Amino acid sequence: MHKFSFLLPLLLFVFTNCGNSYPEEEQSLPWNPHEVHDSAGKRYGVRWQSNNPYDLGERCLDAEGLDARFGIGVLEGHSDFDQVYPWREIRRCNVKKEGSKTVITFDDDPAFTIDGSNGDVFVRIPKFYVEKYNEGGYEYRVISDNGDKPHPAFIENGQELDAIYVSAFEGYIGKDGLLYSIADVIPTSNIPAQDFLDAAQRRGPQYTLYDMRTVDLLFTLIAVEFGCRNSGVSLGHGIADYRQPIEDKWDTNRIYYSKKDELHTNSITCKRQNKEMIPIGSNICVCRGNQRDILTFARLTDKIDTPSTTTYYFDGPPIDVTTDCFIGSCAQSTNWIETCSAPHSSYMGRANMLEKGFLPTERNPMRYRWMENIVGNVWHFLPDITFKDCQMYVCSNIKDYCFTRYEGGYQPFGSPLVINEDNGSESNDMPYYNYWVTTLMEDNDGKGVSFGMTYDKSLTSKEAFGAYYYVKDGLKIVVNGGGFDHKNRCNVLTTRAWVYPDTRWHLYGARLLFKDL
């Protein structure tokens, strides 16, 4: 084992209220949330053996005996934690600014919408406390309704917040240049990281991007609820095995390149596949020459096979296609889980899209407590981490976030990182091939964010902790969550630390975060 200080968040939400629209600062609860269902003072935990990287964990303390099942396809999920604070008060809502007031509309109010007409779609997570410690050969993560200090996601510049708001959907930049969380749009991608942050910050000082502290918070909620430290095992792997557009010229005679020139068309004809990975209803990306030269993001409306070719038909404006063009999947539309071929209508679950032999655990939109595709689909830029000469810098104040900053709120953390430039395998997670985080150590320095302290190349993601990382020399920026070719490597903690300030890609996107400062 080698040691490194690094990157992924680990462990570590909304009052409920009557279904009315009201300013956040004026709201009041019809009950004391810490007395309902006798959650007051209780400690809900997960633990795993410190010296056994294959141990996925178990519930402990007051979580012992509780049960949770993630919904699959039309089968509803179930969670005893729906009756436990803070999970019982995680709620989907609209957030809208009206002057200096923040208006919250929960989803049981008739005024609630998902199209943006009544504000962005967020999930409100109430303040809670987390303990992280080692004891008796186990590592523990424990959630409670009180303690010495709340999870750091609820602290901004010394101010404790009653809640944070995580976007239900991946970010979409509108014609006004602002970042939104709304349904039925293709998430924005293929722009540099700072452009996403600028589009969020232009909304006002309360808006920023989904960050490491939030990833840490969500991981902890998931790990305790499902009694498992590998979120891929608990949730599935999201949209994690779709066909990416390939620009390598060796691929021209194989698959997905245009077979003919077509002007002003809504179709592209390619060599027929043995394995079809682009289902009707999903989104596609048509490129010319390279992945950055994108002609269109569109929805696939039909496909017709001949003995040697497949013609793909798509919506949107017609384009000019040449034999230099190629096709692949792209980020799937927000709220697709409700409209894909096997919808799942509950707050927590995944679709079950089994097509021509592919595993349903690798091909599905998913959501955890209304937050869609926190794993899979697009990667999410994390603005609170920057790098310089493989040294990580961390910021804990959203007003200081900037993707190229190493001071002004950013502080060095740990030692320079161990290099891992290997991108892994599209088809297998092979032993001795990539680095896996096996241990998350006690948070002794009070920063509230755990970083992986050991790694092991002998594990696979199905068995190991599930936190997979890349890092290369010269990196500046981190993306999180995995996407498309990562299959079992897609995990809440999957982190790619090899992005540069000008990097853009069709699967690099962002999520919106709101804090009512």
Side-chain angles (χ1 to χ4, degrees):
M1 297 284 186
H2 298 276
K3 294 208 169 179
F4 69 101
S5 291
F6 177 42
L7 48 91
L8 344 148
L10 212 265
L11 300 185
L12 294 242
F13 230 91
V14 182
F15 311 146
T16 51
N17 208 317
C18 48
N20 297 317
S21 299
Y22 44 80
E24 168 80 354
E25 59 268 29
E26 296 177 4
Q27 64 186 347
S28 60
L29 292 174
W31 63 82
N32 183 335
H34 300 253
E35 294 178 355
V36 177
H37 303 299
D38 195 28
S39 292
K42 291 192 175 181
R43 300 166 66 236
Y44 300 91
V46 60
R47 69 176 190 173
W48 55 84
Q49 299 172 58
S50 302
N51 61 354
N52 182 5
Y54 296 94
D55 180 20
L56 294 179
E58 61 184 1
R59 298 183 189 92
C60 62
L61 305 175
D62 291 305
E64 189 173 357
L66 299 180
D67 182 50
R69 300 190 305 272
F70 205 61
I72 301 176
V74 297
L75 299 177
E76 293 287 331
H78 164 77
S79 179
D80 293 338
F81 289 81
D82 288 349
Q83 307 304 316
V84 172
Y85 185 89
W87 293 269
R88 70 164 180 258
E89 295 177 24
I90 297 172
R91 292 193 63 185
R92 185 173 58 164
C93 60
N94 291 145
V95 175
K96 181 171 58 174
K97 293 295 293 182
E98 292 185 351
S100 61
K101 294 182 178 180
T102 301
V103 178
I104 309 296
T105 306
F106 288 116
D107 60 3
D108 57 357
D109 189 315
F112 173 82
T113 66
I114 61 174
D115 63 3
S117 59
N118 193 48
D120 294 279
V121 188
F122 279 96
V123 174
R124 187 178 188 273
I125 304 176
K127 179 173 65 177
F128 61 86
Y129 298 76
V130 173
E131 300 168 66
K132 307 178 182 182
Y133 60 91
N134 297 334
E135 183 177 278
Y138 286 88
E139 289 193 41
Y140 286 80
R141 299 296 181 268
V142 181
I143 290 175
S144 60
D145 65 349
N146 60 72
D148 295 331
K149 189 176 182 180
H151 185 278
F154 300 104
I155 302 175
E156 286 296 331
N157 199 25
Q159 177 186 353
E160 287 193 17
L161 306 176
D162 290 333
I164 68 169
Y165 296 79
V166 181
S167 64
F169 304 119
E170 291 166 307
Y172 168 75
I173 297 181
K175 294 181 179 179
D176 57 5
L178 304 181
L179 188 67
Y180 295 96
S181 170
I182 58 177
D184 304 319
V185 294
I186 299 176
T188 300
S189 64
N190 211 47
I191 64 174
Q194 189 63 39
D195 289 359
F196 282 109
L197 183 57
D198 292 344
Q201 292 176 336
R202 282 194 291 265
R203 299 286 305 274
Q206 300 98 333
Y207 293 86
T208 188
L209 298 184
Y210 182 80
D211 55 15
M212 177 192 278
R213 286 182 289 164
T214 308
V215 173
D216 183 275
L217 176 149
L218 291 180
F219 171 83
T220 308
L221 287 167
I222 294 166
V224 172
E225 182 168 8
F226 291 96
C228 179
R229 61 176 175 165
N230 186 337
S231 62
V233 172
S234 302
L235 307 183
H237 303 97
I239 302 171
D241 189 20
Y242 277 67
R243 174 68 187 184
Q244 290 192 38
I246 298 296
E247 65 186 72
D248 298 321
K249 291 303 180 183
W250 57 263
D251 197 52
T252 305
N253 295 321
R254 205 158 57 109
I255 48 179
Y256 286 99
Y257 271 80
S258 174
K259 299 287 288 184
K260 59 183 179 179
D261 295 339
E262 297 178 273
L263 301 180
H264 208 62
T265 180
N266 282 89
S267 67
I268 181 171
T269 300
C270 306
K271 185 177 179 180
R272 187 171 177 180
Q273 304 306 297
N274 293 324
K275 293 183 178 180
E276 178 52 68
M277 297 180 70
I278 308 180
I280 294 173
S282 66
N283 292 335
I284 62 168
C285 178
V286 181
C287 308
R288 175 181 286 125
N290 62 74
Q291 287 182 339
R292 294 192 179 190
D293 186 8
I294 296 173
L295 299 183
T296 189
F297 289 124
R299 186 176 63 89
L300 188 66
T301 57
D302 198 7
K303 54 188 178 184
I304 297 177
D305 290 331
T306 71
S308 60
T309 66
T310 298
T311 300
Y312 300 87
Y313 296 89
F314 48 86
D315 64 8
I319 60 175
D320 293 344
V321 172
T322 69
T323 55
D324 196 35
C325 293
F326 51 97
I327 183 178
S329 298
C330 73
Q332 302 306 300
S333 297
T334 56
N335 209 41
W336 193 43
I337 193 170
E338 290 285 355
T339 57
C340 66
S341 59
H344 190 287
S345 59
S346 74
Y347 65 97
M348 191 162 68
R350 67 174 184 260
N352 193 28
M353 298 183 64
L354 182 60
E355 181 174 331
K356 295 191 177 181
F358 289 94
L359 297 177
T361 56
E362 298 173 349
R363 308 274 334 259
N364 303 287
M366 52 77 68
R367 62 186 168 206
Y368 173 70
R369 296 193 173 270
W370 292 116
M371 289 168 282
E372 184 180 57
N373 294 332
I374 54 175
V375 171
N377 211 19
V378 299
W379 295 81
H380 305 124
F381 285 114
L382 300 182
D384 52 341
I385 314 168
T386 61
F387 288 91
K388 186 176 183 180
D389 299 326
C390 287
Q391 171 67 57
M392 182 170 64
Y393 292 76
V394 177
C395 181
S396 58
N397 185 351
I398 64 171
K399 294 182 179 180
D400 291 332
Y401 284 178
C402 179
F403 279 103
T404 55
R405 184 172 291 166
Y406 311 103
E407 65 286 313
Y410 285 80
Q411 299 295 324
F413 188 94
S415 303
L417 308 187
V418 175
I419 299 296
N420 175 33
E421 295 196 4
D422 201 323
N423 192 31
S425 167
E426 290 191 2
S427 57
N428 295 294
D429 293 320
M430 301 298 294
Y432 306 103
Y433 201 66
N434 295 289
Y435 294 103
W436 302 92
V437 171
T438 60
T439 305
L440 291 158
M441 303 304 292
E442 185 176 0
D443 176 28
N444 291 318
D445 63 355
K447 290 181 180 297
V449 178
S450 292
F451 299 93
M453 295 299 294
T454 63
Y455 66 82
D456 188 340
K457 294 185 73 171
S458 67
L459 305 176
T460 70
S461 57
K462 292 180 181 178
E463 298 169 322
F465 190 83
Y468 178 85
Y469 82 90
Y470 320 99
V471 55
K472 66 167 62 172
D473 191 18
L475 66 97
K476 304 290 185 184
I477 295 169
V478 163
V479 289
N480 167 263
F484 280 51
D485 63 340
H486 279 240
K487 299 186 179 180
N488 298 310
R489 292 170 287 168
C490 278
N491 188 282
V492 170
L493 298 180
T494 300
T495 309
R496 170 179 278 171
W498 64 4
V499 181
Y500 303 92
D502 62 346
T503 299
R504 57 186 179 91
W505 193 42
H506 71 288
L507 289 182
Y508 286 170
R511 301 187 77 97
L512 196 59
L513 187 64
F514 178 87
K515 297 189 175 185
D516 201 22
L517 304 177

